[in-house]
Amino acid sequence: MSVETTYEGSFYKNYKIHYAFGYTVTIENQSKDSVQLNARHWEIYDALNNIETVSGEGVIGRKPVLKPGESHTYSSGCLLTSPFGAMEGHYDMINLTTTKSFKVIIPTFKLSATFAIN
């Protein structure tokens, strides 16, 4: 699995500044069975100790099936109320051969506005 992040800019919403970040995730099936990504769960942290939890079906409206050796890449985004933060989470998957469910852990990755980097 790999994650790339981008800082998209800032804007005011409800009289409060927000920082927009994009991220692109690539997940690869390294097993010998076909698997399906059914749901995602994210914990999104900003520098002000705010935590937003996001859960839902699939990713960007899709529940991709990955055959052995295949990968799936998608892009999405989030808003923070500070110029840096982090995300972590997991995908709920199912092995289509055995029908067993399993989780794929997404390690913490950082979100940093370009002007806030040391």
Side-chain angles (χ1 to χ4, degrees):
M1 169 180 305
S2 67
V3 180
E4 293 180 24
T5 63
T6 56
Y7 171 63
E8 304 290 336
S10 61
F11 64 94
Y12 282 90
K13 178 181 172 185
N14 299 331
Y15 305 104
K16 192 175 195 179
I17 193 164
H18 288 78
Y19 301 87
F21 294 91
Y23 56 90
T24 300
V25 178
T26 299
I27 183 169
E28 182 180 353
N29 181 2
Q30 297 179 345
S31 77
K32 61 181 174 44
D33 298 323
S34 291
V35 298
Q36 184 172 26
L37 191 161
N38 284 330
R40 80 221 178 263
H41 177 86
W42 290 110
E43 300 284 331
I44 305 167
Y45 308 92
D46 72 14
L48 305 173
N49 290 325
N50 295 317
I51 301 173
E52 181 182 2
T53 301
V54 177
S55 295
E57 289 192 8
V59 288
I60 60 168
R62 298 184 58 209
K63 293 182 177 181
V65 172
L66 288 82
K67 294 177 184 171
E70 287 186 340
S71 63
H72 177 75
T73 300
Y74 74 96
S75 296
S76 192
C78 68
L79 296 176
L80 298 182
T81 54
S82 68
F84 52 94
M87 291 177 65
E88 65 184 9
H90 68 265
Y91 295 129
D92 292 327
M93 310 284 292
I94 186 164
N95 181 312
L96 297 176
T97 302
T98 65
T99 69
K100 292 195 188 252
S101 297
F102 63 99
K103 289 187 187 319
V104 172
I105 302 299
I106 305 157
T108 303
F109 58 92
K110 294 180 181 178
L111 303 166
S112 298
T114 49
F115 64 84
I117 297 173
N118 291 340

